[in-house]
Amino acid sequence: MSDATLHSTTRDPDDFAVQIADQVESFLVAVAEVARGDEPASAVPFLLLEVSQLLLAGGRLGAHEDIVPDERYEPDSGPEPDVDELRENLARLLEPIDVYSEVFDPYEPREAPVPARVSDDLADIITDLRHGMAHYRAGRTTEALWWWQFSYFSNWGPTASATLRALQSVLIHVRLDQPLAELDGLDTDQGMGDDTLEIEAGKVMQQEIAAPLGVRVK
């Protein structure tokens, strides 16, 4: 299946696979456009919208019965496209709010928060989605759905949920006129507990992030 036939009018728009593929493709295109940096003022609100819409597709995949691939072994989908440039562009674009605090499993007792990066998260999500899209474009629809469902549970679903929470938090801080805590000096290769957060967190006032992110303060 070529790019030209991905959204062919001869395909049933009510088909589950078509709808999931459309949402995946929309996310891939949208994040690539944001990463170009042409409209930095709308980056965070736009990413919030796109991640929210992607998680709708993920929710549908999660609620669906287990999808069984046609073949025992996954066919080779070809080389994975490099996402380093996209990751770096997003990191520069989101620099004021790229690093955030995340707890991987909310049901794990006393699990300490760890630092994460929105730019890394988005690049990892895109890697998973592109892998499934390669199967879909090659006409291996069941394989694509299996991969998107499996990786939703194993990686991109939790990652997208954490990213959504981080982006949502940025807008909440700005809209509600609250200072935003910055993970000053921390990076994703460092452990981070509650005490570390309290010591390291610096204050980034709304005036520093609202204008470049295009968010209007009440």
Side-chain angles (χ1 to χ4, degrees):
M1 183 179 299
S2 67
D3 290 345
T5 59
L6 179 60
H7 304 288
S8 172
T9 56
T10 61
R11 309 191 71 228
D12 184 359
D14 294 327
D15 183 77
F16 179 76
V18 173
Q19 293 176 354
I20 297 297
D22 282 349
Q23 288 182 287
V24 168
E25 179 73 5
S26 175
F27 180 82
L28 294 175
V29 171
V31 175
E33 285 297 312
V34 171
R36 290 175 56 186
D38 294 340
E39 298 184 22
S42 60
V44 169
F46 193 58
L47 287 173
L48 177 69
L49 176 61
E50 292 301 323
V51 174
S52 298
Q53 292 177 333
L54 177 66
L55 281 170
L56 173 59
R60 296 183 66 192
L61 287 164
H64 198 282
E65 63 184 4
D66 287 348
I67 298 168
V68 180
D70 296 327
E71 302 179 31
R72 181 177 179 183
Y73 299 103
E74 182 184 5
D76 184 6
S77 61
E80 298 287 350
D82 184 34
V83 296
D84 285 345
E85 182 178 359
L86 180 141
R87 186 195 313 269
E88 293 168 2
N89 289 342
L90 287 170
R92 283 192 294 269
L93 184 65
L94 302 173
E95 192 275 333
I97 48 91
D98 196 23
V99 178
Y100 69 97
S101 172
E102 166 63 359
V103 175
F104 287 119
D105 188 347
Y107 285 100
E108 183 68 27
R110 297 177 298 280
E111 183 172 352
V114 297
R117 286 185 176 272
V118 174
S119 55
D120 287 344
D121 290 350
L122 291 172
D124 290 347
I125 294 167
I126 284 177
T127 297
D128 279 344
L129 298 181
R130 282 178 175 175
H131 186 88
M133 186 59 73
H135 287 308
Y136 186 80
R137 286 174 172 156
R140 298 187 292 269
T141 301
T142 304
E143 194 74 33
L145 288 174
W146 168 80
W147 172 258
W148 283 327
Q149 185 186 61
F150 167 76
S151 57
Y152 169 74
F153 288 123
S154 63
N155 186 48
W156 74 259
T159 301
S161 296
T163 306
L164 178 68
R165 185 74 178 93
L167 295 169
Q168 184 184 52
S169 180
V170 172
L171 295 186
I172 288 173
H173 278 285
V174 172
R175 295 284 173 84
L176 299 184
D177 195 22
Q178 299 171 345
L180 180 67
E182 181 183 29
L183 305 184
D184 187 20
L186 291 178
D187 206 339
T188 51
D189 60 354
Q190 296 177 264
M192 180 171 56
D194 292 338
D195 293 340
T196 307
L197 275 172
E198 183 177 354
I199 294 171
E200 297 292 339
K203 295 299 182 180
V204 177
M205 301 304 293
Q206 285 186 356
Q207 292 87 333
E208 298 179 27
I209 66 170
L213 297 182
V215 180
R216 181 178 301 172
V217 180
K218 295 193 300 182

